Amino acid sequence: MTILRACVFILHFTLVPIMIGRLITYRARTGWIADYLVGFFGNLAIFYILYSIVEWIQNWCTFVDPVIGGFTLLLKVYGFVLAVLLILWICLERKSLSKAITKLRIKLINGKLDLIADRFNMIYLLIFIIILVFQMYMAFAYEINQWSYDDYDYVVTSQDTITSDTLSYVNFIDGTMPNVAEKRAVASWGTYVSMLAKTTGFEVTTVYHTILPVFLLLLAYINFYYIAKFLFRKLEDRLVFLIVLSIAYIFGLYSHYSSTFRLLGAIWQGKAVLSVIAVPFFMFFLIRAYKEKISNTYLLPIAAISLGVSSLTSLAALFIPILVVLVWLLMCIYHRKIYAVRYLVASLIGPIYLVVFYAFIWMLQHDMQGYDHKYFKFRKTTSWWQRWFH
């Protein structure tokens, strides 16, 4: 049974992001690594949109007594959407799948030849694998003991989501509901972890502190290799970069605000995924997109990444606009003109969605706590969608 649950968990980090990534980048292929990472954040974007809709309906239906059933409804809708996307992906890729596998095989063969051509590449690869396996073992075996000061919120809130069958609805201190904290309600990462726990059968704490760190650590190093490919042409230089970066992270734990703590200490938190995976990937993906010929085919991948990144934490409303505007300004300076405004708009969709959602949740929360319905006067005590809750 444990093996079966582990296989289901693996599917969330293999088949799902590959499928969604290939669909999003169908007209804008940028390589397997980029497609996979776009799919990972694109999946978070899809989940975020569905989460925000269901959560809004849940809070809209809340007047005096709490309503439950939102988490179950979200799982059903999310499962249906994934099934539809899977069918669409199979239909679109059924002819090109063999070609894609052939291209991947050629890349693996070329990579093998590069390793064989230079003995130092084999040594560098072996050193990096040893360092990576060591970090993965520490993440799996010892991060169960790493309790950050925010885990009283993250872990408890995710568990409450499953136990109460609601979305960001329970006071994580005394368990009362309805209780909507805006900064938690506008981020779907905790609920995404609840989904992983529910669909795989693992406990929320086990997912946060044992399983998820291993997968996210691998995801982080996939992203680091993506960055290395952008910076260096030779495989040797890329491997040396990964080795140096790994050692720097291992010996960089000087405070709870360091990058090392986010990568090797509490990577399961939304702001950690934002800082060590999402922001670096989004920055280099944007630079690559600006580097190529401007095309509308990149708008969907950029918007999907922006939405997915914004679903991690409310801090994305600050970090992402700063990032994308700086990259855009640098490109404008480089080209000596106002350049690719459409990319800038697409990259700001996520933060804009987050801020608007926050404002609406704040207004709805005000109406939920009173009887005057100051912001949404047309709210009624009976609505046709209340049948989804109980």
Side-chain angles (χ1 to χ4, degrees), residues 289-307:
Y290 282 112
K291 182 181 176 182
E292 302 292 335
K293 182 180 179 181
I294 301 301
S295 172
N296 290 334
T297 57
Y298 284 100
L299 296 181
L300 180 57
I302 292 174
I305 298 171
S306 180
L307 265 172

Side-chain angles (χ1 to χ4, degrees), residues 29 104 109 234 237 246 259 271 275 324 360:
R29 298 290 192 226
L104 180 61
I109 293 174
K234 294 183 178 180
D237 296 334
S246 301
S259 296
K271 53 191 172 185
S275 58
V324 301
F360 274 81

Side-chain angles (χ1 to χ4, degrees), residues 5 10 12 38 48 68 72 94 115 159 177 180 187 198 308 332:
R5 291 185 293 170
I10 291 173
H12 285 292
V38 169
Y48 187 36
I68 60 176
T72 299
R94 68 183 187 277
L115 287 173
Q159 181 59 49
M177 59 180 188
V180 180
K198 184 69 174 179
C332 290

Side-chain angles (χ1 to χ4, degrees), residues 373-388:
H373 301 301
K374 177 180 179 181
Y375 296 102
F376 302 100
K377 298 183 181 298
F378 49 88
R379 284 178 75 218
K380 296 181 179 179
T381 56
T382 56
S383 300
W384 63 272
W385 48 47
Q386 280 187 322
R387 67 176 182 268
W388 295 332

Side-chain angles (χ1 to χ4, degrees), residues 255-287:
S255 78
H256 274 204
Y257 298 97
S258 66
S259 296
T260 295
F261 176 73
R262 298 303 174 198
L263 179 68
L264 303 178
I267 195 174
W268 56 81
Q269 296 180 357
K271 53 191 172 185
V273 180
L274 174 72
S275 58
V276 300
I277 302 177
V279 168
F281 170 66
F282 198 17
M283 179 177 69
F284 280 91
F285 186 87
L286 284 176
I287 293 174

Side-chain angles (χ1 to χ4, degrees), residues 134-380:
F134 170 73
Q135 292 179 76
M136 291 171 59
Y137 170 75
M138 296 297 292
F140 179 80
Y142 290 96
E143 288 200 16
I144 187 65
N145 300 315
Q146 173 59 55
W147 285 87
S148 171
Y149 47 84
D150 281 337
D151 277 350
Y152 72 93
D153 188 346
Y154 282 104
V155 178
V156 174
T157 299
S158 295
Q159 181 59 49
D160 284 340
T161 296
I162 298 175
T163 304
S164 65
D165 197 9
T166 59
L167 301 177
S168 303
Y169 204 63
V170 183
N171 187 314
F172 57 84
I173 296 176
D174 57 17
T176 58
M177 59 180 188
N179 185 282
V180 180
E182 289 86 359
K183 76 171 186 175
R184 295 298 181 219
V186 297
S188 63
W189 175 252
T191 306
Y192 180 77
V193 176
S194 301
M195 181 275 298
L196 293 176
K198 184 69 174 179
T199 56
T200 60
F202 290 110
E203 295 292 334
V204 167
T205 306
T206 303
V207 173
Y208 266 119
H209 284 264
T210 303
I211 305 174
L212 200 55
V214 176
F215 281 90
L216 291 178
L217 190 63
L218 282 173
L219 192 69
Y221 277 99
I222 289 174
N223 179 43
F224 293 152
Y225 184 74
Y226 173 77
I227 295 172
K229 285 187 64 179
F230 179 84
L231 297 175
F232 307 103
R233 290 186 177 181
K234 294 183 178 180
L235 179 61
E236 178 182 4
D237 296 334
R238 297 171 186 173
L239 293 174
V240 171
F241 170 80
L242 291 176
I243 292 171
V244 173
L245 187 64
S246 301
I247 295 175
Y249 268 114
I250 291 174
F251 291 95
L253 184 56
Y254 53 85
S255 78
H256 274 204
Y257 298 97
S258 66
S259 296
T260 295
F261 176 73
R262 298 303 174 198
L263 179 68
L264 303 178
I267 195 174
W268 56 81
Q269 296 180 357
K271 53 191 172 185
V273 180
L274 174 72
S275 58
V276 300
I277 302 177
V279 168
F281 170 66
F282 198 17
M283 179 177 69
F284 280 91
F285 186 87
L286 284 176
I287 293 174
R288 278 181 175 271
Y290 282 112
K291 182 181 176 182
E292 302 292 335
K293 182 180 179 181
I294 301 301
S295 172
N296 290 334
T297 57
Y298 284 100
L299 296 181
L300 180 57
I302 292 174
I305 298 171
S306 180
L307 265 172
V309 169
S310 299
S311 73
L312 296 169
T313 172
S314 56
L315 290 175
L318 174 64
F319 290 158
I320 300 306
I322 293 175
L323 168 70
V324 301
V325 170
L326 283 177
V327 172
W328 178 73
L329 288 175
L330 287 174
M331 292 300 106
C332 290
I333 293 172
Y334 177 79
H335 291 280
R336 298 181 181 179
K337 62 179 180 179
I338 302 299
Y339 190 71
V341 177
R342 71 189 81 171
Y343 285 3
L344 175 64
V345 174
S347 58
L348 288 173
I349 285 179
I352 292 173
Y353 188 93
L354 174 61
V355 171
V356 172
F357 187 36
Y358 187 100
F360 274 81
I361 286 292
W362 182 88
M363 291 187 290
L364 188 55
Q365 170 79 331
H366 182 278
D367 283 359
M368 289 167 61
Q369 294 173 344
Y371 298 95
D372 55 347
H373 301 301
K374 177 180 179 181
Y375 296 102
F376 302 100
K377 298 183 181 298
F378 49 88
R379 284 178 75 218
K380 296 181 179 179

